[in-house]
Amino acid sequence: ALTYVRRQKRSLVVKADGLAAGKGVVVAADEAEAERAILDMMVRKVHGSAGDRILVEERLHRSLLPPSHSGTTLDFWKGGDG
């Protein structure tokens, strides 16, 4: 996983493959943060066995939520007129 991260030239997301109480995802700002996340999960076992296997994915930079008429995605979640 560390070799893969070092070869990438894009932002990455590191995810624990098991159940980690909603804490098993790191959206890495840079290569160093992705490496720390991998070591925390797989070596330091900060999420216990949830980090025995991890996923490393490319970070998506665009919101998948449609903007509302007022121009913010937060209004989309209100369910009303925003």
Side-chain angles (χ1 to χ4, degrees):
L2 292 173
T3 300
Y4 176 80
V5 166
R6 291 173 183 145
R7 290 182 182 164
Q8 300 307 304
K9 300 300 179 205
R10 53 186 166 226
S11 299
L12 299 171
V13 177
V14 181
K15 301 177 181 181
D17 192 40
L19 298 175
K23 306 291 183 192
V25 177
V26 174
V27 180
D30 55 27
E31 178 183 322
E33 188 174 8
E35 289 181 10
R36 276 193 306 277
I38 291 168
L39 293 173
D40 284 346
M41 290 179 195
M42 299 194 82
V43 177
R44 296 180 191 103
K45 300 289 186 189
V46 297
H47 302 300
S49 62
D52 287 347
R53 292 181 2 166
I54 60 168
L55 302 169
V56 180
E57 300 175 340
E58 181 179 359
R59 177 182 174 191
L60 298 177
H61 291 279
R62 297 180 187 246
S63 173
L64 300 177
L65 298 175
S68 71
H69 65 278
S70 67
T72 66
T73 56
L74 292 177
D75 289 335
F76 175 77
W77 290 107
K78 290 181 185 175
D81 290 336

